[in-house]
Amino acid sequence: MTLLALNPLVSPDPGLFIWSTVAFLLLFFLLSKFAWKPIVKALDERERSIEDALAKAEMAKEEMAKLTNENELLLKQARSERDDILKQAKILKDQIVSDAKVSAQTEGSKMIEKARIEIENQKIAAIAEVKDQVATLSIQIAEKLLRKQFEDQNKQNALVTDLLKEVKLN
Amino acid sequence: MDLSQILNSKKLVHIAFYAVFFACVTFTVSAQEPEKVEEPHVTRSEMNAPHEEKEEDISATILHHIADSHEWHFWGEGEHKVSVPLPVILWTQNGLVTFLSNKHDENDHGTEIFEEKGQPMVNYHGKYYYPGQKNAEGAYVEIDENGVPTNAKPLDVSITKNVVSLFLSVIVLLLVFTGIAKSYRVREMKAPKGLQSILEPIIIFVRDDIAKPQLGHRYAAFMPYLLTVFFFVWLNNLMGLIPFFPGGANLTGNISVTMMLALCTFVLTTVNGNKNYWGHVFTPHVPWWLYPLMIPVEIIGLFTKPIALMIRLFANITAGHILILSLISLIFILKSVFVAGIAVPFVIFISVIELVVGFIQAFIFTILSALFIGMAVEEHTAH
Amino acid sequence: MITGSIAGIGAGLAAIGAGIGIGQIGGKAMEGMARQPEAAGRIQTAMLIAAAFVEAVALFGVVVAFLGTK
C-alpha cells in the first residue's frame, strides 16, 4: 500500500470507491429490473415474431405457389377438355353436314329418277293417245275417203271385178 | 412533409445535440483549456517562482486536471474564480463532519488548522488531514520523500466532482433506459423510433457480439450486467471528454471507479465459477510434481485478470486526457500563441481518436468481463 | 544535463514491446481478413481482445512509471 500511495493518480480513493460502488450497484439493480429485462424481452419477442412472420410468409408463399400450380393444372385440363369438346363437335358437325349432303343427293337423284320415269310414262301415254287419235282420224279419213269412192256404182263394180281377177290368178 | 414537421422532428433535435456536443468537445478543449493551464503560471508568478519550475508546473497542472476535487471549478482563479462548492463529508474520530468545500478552501497549503465539531484538521492541496508537526514550510503535515503527506486522515466520503459526475451519469442512464423500456412497452412489436432506434443496435451489438460469443447459451443471465457496464463505461468515457460542466470529471480515468468495476466482474466470476473452473485452478492439467508451481500461478492468474481490467481502462482514459492536456500545454511550454496553430488541430485529432477509444475501451471492458465470466461458467474445456 | 525519472525509460521500453505485439496482431488480422473476408467480424473481435491483452502490458509499464514519479 505504501507503493500505491506514492502517486495520487494510482492510489484508490476510498470515498469515491464507496460512492461508485453504491451508485453502480443501484444503477445495475434499477436498470436490470426496469430497463434491461423489458428491453431484452421485447427485443427477443420482436425477433421471434419477425422470424415467425417470415416463416409464415414463406409458408404462405409455398402454399400460394402450390395453389397457383393447381390452378394452372386445372386450367390446362379445362382447356384441353374444351379443345376436345370442340374437336368432337367439329367432327360431328362435319359428319352431319356430309350425311345431309349424301342424303340430299340420293333423295334428289331419286326424285329426279321418279320424275323422269313419270315423264317417260306421260310421254308414252301421250304418244299412245296421239297414236290412237291418229288411228281414229285415219280410219275416219279412210271411211270418208271410202265413202266418197264408193258413192259411184261403177267404181264398185270395177273394184269387185279387179278383186275377182286377182282371186283367179291365185 | 412540411417545414414545421421537419423542425419538430426528433432526428433534427438529435443531430443538433450531437453537432453541439462535438463542437463543444473540439472548441472548448482548444478554447478553454489554455485558461486553465494558465492557473499555475499566475499563482507561481504571484509567488515569484523562478521560471525553471515551469515544466514541473505544467505536469502538476495536468495531474490536477485529471485528479478529483472538492469543488466543480469552471474558470478563473483567486478572487475571480467561478466554481460550485460541493459538500464535504468526513468520518472523523469525533463522528461525521459535513461542510461545504468553500468554507475551508482559502488556505490549502496546510498552514492553518480549522476545527469542525471539535476536530482539528488541515486542508493540504484539497485534501483534509489531521494536523501533525509543523514542518519547514509552516504546514502542519509530515511529507515523505515523494511529497505525499503521511498524516493520518479522516475517511473522506465527500460528494466530490467525480461523485457528482457519477450521479449525473447514473441519472442519465436511468432516464434514458427506463424511457426506452417504456417505449418498448408502448410500441410493442413495432419498429424502433427516436432514441430507441439509436440505442437498439448497440444493445443488440452487446448481445450478439459480446455476450453470445463469449457466454454461449448462458448469455441471458449476464446480459443486464454487461449492458450496464458497457453503457456506464461508455457514457462516462464520453462525459470525461467534455471539458466543461456535464463532463470534465474524468470518472473512468479514476482508478477507484475502474477498481470498483473490475471488482464487480471479479465477484461475478468467482461467484459463478463452476467445478470445472475451480478444478482448472486447483488441479491443473500438469504432472503432479508441477502443482506447487502451477497452483500459485493459477491463483495469481485469478487476480491479475481483474487487475489488468482495472489498469487498462484507467490508463487508457488517463493517457488520453494527459495527451490532450499536454498538447495544449505545448503553447505554454514554448511560450508562443502560434504553437496553437499546430497544437489545436492535433488536439482535435486526438479528441476524435479519444471518442473512438472511449467506445473501444467500453467494448473491451465488457467483452473481457464476458470472457472471464464465460471461462468461469464453461462446462468443459478443450484440453 | 538530463533530469527526470528512469521510470520513463521503462515505460518507453514497455511501449516498444507492446507496439511490436499490437503491430503483429493487427498485421496478421489484416492478412486473415484479406484471406477470409467472410470471417472479418470474428477476426476483428479476436484481434481487439488480443490487442487489449498486449496493450495491458504497456499500460502496466505506464502505471509503474506513474508509481515511480511524483
Side-chain angles (χ1 to χ4, degrees):
Chain A
M1 226 42 208
T2 45
L3 191 70
L4 281 175
L6 286 180
N7 192 312
L9 210 55
V10 277
S11 51
D13 172 16
L16 184 57
F17 181 79
I18 291 167
W19 279 119
S20 61
T21 309
V22 169
F24 183 77
L25 289 181
L26 193 74
L27 178 75
F28 171 60
F29 285 116
L30 286 180
L31 279 187
S32 343
K33 195 159 171 9
F34 296 112
W36 304 131
K37 222 161 128 194
I39 289 175
V40 170
K41 214 179 98 197
L43 281 177
D44 280 351
E45 259 167 31
R46 196 167 68 206
E47 251 156 52
R48 207 173 310 125
S49 86
I50 288 172
E51 254 164 50
D52 276 6
L54 280 179
K56 265 181 199 155
E58 193 62 31
M59 250 164 63
K61 218 167 106 187
E62 267 168 34
E63 195 84 352
M64 195 71 186
K66 230 168 78 186
L67 269 178
T68 320
N69 257 0
E70 250 166 48
N71 269 359
E72 215 145 273
L73 219 74
L74 271 176
L75 211 71
K76 223 183 225 169
Q77 230 170 339
R79 222 174 261 159
S80 73
E81 223 159 274
R82 187 197 67 183
D83 283 356
D84 267 9
I85 291 170
L86 274 178
K87 214 184 261 170
Q88 272 176 358
K90 208 174 161 210
I91 291 167
L92 202 68
K93 183 197 79 176
D94 285 353
Q95 207 179 346
I96 290 169
V97 168
S98 68
D99 277 6
K101 253 187 201 164
V102 169
S103 70
Q105 244 165 4
T106 50
E107 198 74 11
S109 56
K110 248 187 219 161
M111 273 161 76
I112 289 168
E113 190 66 19
K114 235 174 160 178
R116 221 179 42 150
I117 291 168
E118 191 72 12
I119 289 166
E120 203 68 25
N121 288 350
Q122 292 289 330
K123 211 170 81 184
I124 291 168
I127 288 172
E129 206 172 320
V130 168
K131 268 180 184 168
D132 230 25
Q133 276 184 351
V134 167
T136 325
L137 276 173
S138 28
I139 288 167
Q140 280 171 351
I141 291 164
E143 222 180 58
K144 276 171 187 165
L145 275 170
L146 283 169
R147 226 165 255 155
K148 249 185 192 154
Q149 282 275 321
F150 290 108
E151 276 166 8
D152 188 359
Q153 206 69 51
N154 295 351
K155 275 188 180 179
Q156 283 182 6
N157 289 347
L159 189 61
V160 174
T161 42
D162 274 354
L163 281 170
L164 282 163
K165 270 185 214 167
E166 269 173 44
V167 175
K168 271 177 193 167
L169 271 169
N170 278 347
Chain B
M1 198 190 271
D2 61 309
L3 198 68
S4 64
Q5 229 173 328
I6 293 171
L7 285 175
N8 287 335
S9 79
K10 269 193 179 163
K11 203 185 270 175
L12 197 82
V13 175
H14 288 141
I15 290 169
F17 170 75
Y18 287 118
V20 170
F21 170 70
F22 289 126
C24 287
V25 168
T26 50
F27 174 72
T28 49
V29 163
S30 51
Q32 198 175 339
E33 294 296 340
E35 280 178 51
K36 289 185 179 176
V37 177
E38 217 163 353
E39 296 159 17
H41 178 65
V42 176
T43 48
R44 285 289 168 159
S45 58
E46 279 167 5
M47 291 160 66
N48 299 320
H51 261 312
E52 294 90 76
E53 276 189 61
K54 180 112 189 173
E55 253 176 73
E56 181 64 29
D57 253 349
I58 283 175
S59 70
T61 307
I62 291 173
L63 288 183
H64 170 75
H65 269 269
I66 292 168
D68 204 354
S69 142
H70 279 295
E71 58 175 13
W72 201 306
H73 182 250
F74 293 107
W75 60 79
E77 195 60 38
E79 300 270 306
H80 312 288
K81 188 167 77 173
V82 178
S83 65
V84 174
L86 298 169
V88 176
I89 303 166
L90 299 173
W91 184 256
T92 66
Q93 290 159 343
N94 286 2
L96 202 65
V97 171
T98 54
F99 55 91
L100 273 185
S101 70
N102 60 353
K103 192 172 173 190
H104 299 294
D105 74 342
E106 290 90 19
N107 185 335
D108 70 343
H109 304 299
T111 52
E112 199 181 295
I113 299 174
F114 62 85
E115 256 186 44
E116 281 286 339
K117 274 193 184 170
Q119 174 66 52
M121 279 178 285
V122 290
N123 178 346
Y124 185 73
H125 293 291
K127 284 205 169 77
Y128 299 96
Y129 298 95
Y130 297 133
Q133 292 290 315
K134 194 167 183 171
N135 67 6
E137 284 167 24
Y140 293 93
V141 284
E142 285 126 26
I143 295 168
D144 65 5
E145 67 271 24
N146 292 298
V148 177
T150 53
N151 288 33
K153 55 181 177 180
L155 179 64
D156 188 345
V157 284
S158 312
I159 309 295
T160 57
K161 186 170 143 188
N162 273 344
V163 176
V164 173
S165 173
L166 171 78
F167 289 164
L168 262 178
S169 67
V170 165
I171 289 167
V172 167
L173 285 173
L174 277 177
L175 285 181
V176 165
F177 286 105
T178 48
I180 286 183
K182 199 179 145 201
S183 54
Y184 270 106
R185 231 183 355 262
V186 173
R187 301 172 47 75
E188 212 185 334
M189 297 287 171
K190 280 188 194 145
K193 205 179 157 192
L195 202 58
Q196 198 188 355
S197 62
I198 295 173
L199 290 168
E200 188 182 305
I202 302 169
I203 295 172
I204 291 177
F205 167 77
V206 171
R207 189 190 61 185
D208 291 353
D209 286 350
I210 295 178
K212 276 185 187 173
Q214 311 302 338
L215 294 164
H217 63 275
R218 288 178 213 82
Y219 81 95
F222 300 101
M223 271 301 279
Y225 175 68
L226 296 176
L227 282 167
T228 313
V229 164
F230 180 82
F231 284 104
F232 181 80
V233 172
W234 192 29
L235 180 73
N236 281 305
N237 284 350
L238 291 182
M239 273 171 67
L241 284 177
I242 309 173
F244 53 94
F245 167 62
N250 188 28
L251 193 64
T252 40
N254 190 302
I255 203 156
S256 319
V257 176
T258 60
M259 188 189 209
M260 179 273 296
L261 289 169
L263 206 62
C264 287
T265 299
F266 178 68
V267 167
L268 265 183
T269 326
T270 311
V271 167
N272 286 295
N274 57 14
K275 222 171 87 185
N276 181 50
Y277 174 69
W278 293 117
H280 199 80
V281 173
F282 291 110
T283 53
H285 297 270
V286 289
W288 62 268
W289 48 269
L290 270 177
Y291 276 14
L293 193 68
M294 281 309 287
I295 291 176
V297 166
E298 290 281 351
I299 290 173
I300 292 168
L302 290 184
F303 294 102
T304 51
K305 278 184 278 187
I307 288 173
L309 213 53
M310 165 179 94
I311 300 284
R312 182 180 297 111
L313 182 59
F314 154 73
N316 260 294
I317 303 304
T318 305
H321 283 243
I322 290 176
L323 197 52
I324 290 177
L325 289 169
S326 305
L327 281 169
I328 289 294
S329 300
L330 271 184
I331 302 168
F332 301 93
I333 292 170
L334 299 174
K335 289 183 210 135
S336 161
V337 78
F338 299 107
V339 179
I342 304 162
V344 169
F346 254 104
V347 167
I348 294 170
F349 172 67
I350 297 293
S351 296
V352 172
I353 287 187
E354 284 302 309
L355 282 179
V356 179
V357 167
F359 180 82
I360 289 182
Q361 287 310 318
F363 166 66
I364 296 270
F365 194 99
T366 317
I367 201 166
L368 289 181
S369 295
L371 188 76
F372 296 153
I373 297 169
M375 279 158 79
V377 298
E378 207 171 25
E379 287 299 336
H380 52 84
T381 44
H383 52 140
Chain C
M1 180 67 186
I2 301 169
T3 56
S5 168
I6 201 162
I9 297 173
L13 288 174
I16 291 175
I20 294 169
I22 293 180
Q24 289 263 340
I25 291 166
K28 296 288 177 194
M30 291 284 168
E31 270 175 35
M33 277 190 250
R35 199 168 296 157
Q36 275 178 296
E38 69 278 2
R42 268 180 300 154
I43 292 174
Q44 213 162 23
T45 311
M47 177 188 81
L48 280 175
I49 294 176
F53 279 128
V54 174
E55 190 196 39
V57 176
L59 293 175
F60 278 133
V62 172
V63 170
V64 171
F66 277 147
L67 291 176
T69 51
K70 164 64 181 86

